[in-house]
Amino acid sequence: MFMPQLAVVYFTPDIAAVALVRELLEQNGMGARVVQASSTVEFAQTIEDTQTALILAEESGLGSDLPRVFSIARERWPEIPLICLTNRPEVAEAARWFSLGADDCLSLRSSAFCIAALRRALKMANMLLEKKRWQQRGAGTTRLLKAMQDLSEAHDLPTVQKTVAFAEREVIALAGTQSPELLETLTDIGAVAISNVRMYAELEQRIKDRTRLLEETNRELESCSFSVSHDL
């Protein structure tokens, strides 16, 4: 199944800084693309639209917006690592960003520390994303089994068609299009479900026909009884 490339969202107005981080990642074999965001609105939208593995926030130039960015990140995506990049590596300054929710605070002047921290953060992000994928697969498997159970109990064609379409989406989400066995099983179950619908329809029609015949017979018996009673 196709997996989108992980993204490092970098909150900064500095295009050169983005290029520097991108170069650090490429040179050190860290497979992630860098996406720049220069406003809080763009920042939030970027994370919504990408498979974000790491958030970088630069203090210089956007310092007044950083608390808001940290608040958005921690409120909506608490599992994504957040690193503050600063030109002022003083302990008091770092403590401030840690208190706002940063996982790390790095000096832009120390590329070695930046590389190590980026590698560590991306590794952790990959582990979290892999855990989430397995959780999603578990939930997807449960939904797929439920859909197949629903197919076996469906009594009308629209329900069968709707359930088959849902189950097909779950199969593709779980195993991609390269899953002929699952798709074939789903096709077989769908065919059985359609056959069952026809059988239920025929059975229902036979019950209606028998009911009508019984009602007609009862009316005839009542009429006959009335005539006999009248003759007597």
Side-chain angles (χ1 to χ4, degrees):
M1 182 168 50
F2 171 74
M3 297 303 298
Q5 185 182 18
L6 296 179
V8 173
V9 175
Y10 193 175
F11 182 67
T12 178
D14 190 349
I15 296 177
V18 174
L20 176 61
V21 171
R22 185 176 292 120
E23 184 179 351
L24 285 175
L25 293 176
E26 291 175 353
Q27 289 179 348
N28 291 276
M30 290 179 270
R33 61 194 180 97
V34 182
V35 183
Q36 181 183 11
S38 55
S39 71
T40 54
V41 173
E42 185 180 11
F43 170 77
Q45 190 60 52
T46 300
I47 295 184
E48 290 283 3
D49 295 342
T50 61
Q51 186 84 336
T52 302
L54 173 63
I55 298 171
L56 300 178
E58 184 180 331
E59 180 217 12
S60 59
L62 290 170
S64 61
D65 288 334
L66 274 188
R68 175 60 180 156
V69 166
F70 280 35
S71 176
I72 292 173
R74 283 298 167 246
E75 179 182 341
R76 298 171 66 177
W77 306 282
E79 75 283 359
I80 300 178
L82 174 57
I83 297 177
C84 178
L85 301 179
T86 178
N87 281 315
R88 298 180 293 171
E90 294 86 356
V91 173
E93 189 66 21
R96 178 191 175 200
W97 300 121
F98 284 133
S99 70
L100 291 173
D103 295 298
D104 210 341
C105 189
L106 305 174
S107 170
L108 293 169
R109 304 167 189 167
S110 177
S111 61
F113 280 112
C114 283
I115 292 170
L118 289 172
R119 192 184 301 279
R120 183 172 60 251
L122 286 172
K123 183 176 181 180
M124 180 60 68
N126 271 303
M127 291 173 61
L128 290 173
L129 288 170
E130 189 62 26
K131 178 182 177 182
K132 184 181 294 185
R133 288 181 196 127
W134 279 108
Q135 290 173 339
Q136 290 172 343
R137 285 184 179 184
T141 300
T142 300
R143 291 193 299 269
L144 179 59
L145 291 174
K146 176 65 167 57
M148 290 186 173
Q149 177 66 29
D150 290 344
L151 275 176
S152 67
E153 299 172 356
H155 290 178
D156 60 87
L157 191 57
T159 299
V160 170
Q161 292 172 330
K162 181 179 178 180
T163 307
V164 166
F166 173 81
E168 185 176 5
R169 290 194 298 271
E170 290 296 330
V171 168
I172 293 174
L174 283 170
T177 55
Q178 304 301 319
S179 52
E181 296 85 0
L182 273 176
L183 291 173
E184 184 177 349
T185 299
L186 177 59
T187 300
D188 291 343
I189 294 175
V192 171
I194 291 173
S195 177
N196 287 341
V197 166
R198 291 172 179 165
M199 181 185 69
Y200 287 129
E202 292 173 1
L203 181 60
E204 186 176 358
Q205 186 60 48
R206 288 172 63 186
I207 291 173
K208 289 179 180 178
D209 292 343
R210 292 291 298 274
T211 300
R212 188 179 65 254
L213 287 173
L214 285 172
E215 290 174 348
E216 291 176 355
T217 301
N218 284 335
R219 284 195 296 270
E220 290 176 359
L221 286 173
E222 289 174 358
S223 177
C224 181
S225 296
F226 178 78
S227 297
V228 170
S229 175
H230 184 269
D231 291 341
L232 291 174

